[in-house]
């Protein structure tokens, strides 16, 4: 297991499905995230369907030591956004590096109950 940031990717309910997002190659996206060397967890549903395609970037040990918490991203549906997620993971993620490009505009806060399931 890596000590760097990890990713939780919603794939079951609607976020990562061809039914809701037929223009997205969901398998290629997962492969791209896994190629970073980060731990990538796939979950059936993060209960934030209105924000799909949801990816949660959890901080590394160093990021947690700096006070960072998992960061929830919505609309991870295109190559540019994937590039920014990959760049952030490669730079160290939450608490270590600032989100690149326009990624900070994709941050949202789910309910406390939903956050607790990922934290």
């Amino acid at each position: 297991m890596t000590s760097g940031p990890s990713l939780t990717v919603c794939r079951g309910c609607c976020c990562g499905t061809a039914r809701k997002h037929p223009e997205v190659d969901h398998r290629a996206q997962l492969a791209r995230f896994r190629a970073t060397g980060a731990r990538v967890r796939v979950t059936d549903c993060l209960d934030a369907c209105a924000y799909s395609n949801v990816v949660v970037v959890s901080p590394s040990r160093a990021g947690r030591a700096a006070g960072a918490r998992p960061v929830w991203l919505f609309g991870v549906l295109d190559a540019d956004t994937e590039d920014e997620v990959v760049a952030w993971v490669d730079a160290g993620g939450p608490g270590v590096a600032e989100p690149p490009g326009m990624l900070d505009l994709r941050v949202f806060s789910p309910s406390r109950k939903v956050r607790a399931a990922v934290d």
Side-chain angles (χ1 to χ4, degrees):
M1 180 162 72
T2 178
S3 64
S6 64
L7 300 172
T8 302
V9 183
C10 194
R11 283 293 182 263
C13 178
C14 59
C15 284
T17 65
R19 181 176 31 84
K20 185 162 186 177
H21 300 292
E23 71 285 359
V24 176
D25 185 341
H26 301 284
R27 288 182 187 186
Q29 186 183 69
L30 279 176
R32 188 162 187 216
F33 290 158
R34 287 180 173 132
T36 65
R39 177 178 171 202
V40 178
R41 293 178 286 194
V42 176
T43 187
D44 191 42
C45 185
L46 288 169
D47 201 22
C49 301
Y51 296 101
S52 80
N53 200 27
V54 176
V55 174
V56 181
V57 183
S58 295
S60 63
R61 288 182 190 128
R64 284 215 185 257
R69 304 292 300 152
V71 175
W72 291 63
L73 303 171
F74 72 87
V76 183
L77 295 166
D78 58 71
D80 290 341
T81 305
E82 289 174 18
D83 288 345
E84 291 176 351
V85 171
V86 167
W88 196 22
V89 167
D90 287 345
V96 175
E98 291 296 318
M102 303 296 278
L103 200 58
D104 59 335
L105 298 177
R106 295 193 179 276
V107 174
F108 75 99
S109 292
S111 71
R112 224 181 356 221
K113 177 183 169 188
V114 171
R115 273 195 319 267
V118 172
D119 286 357

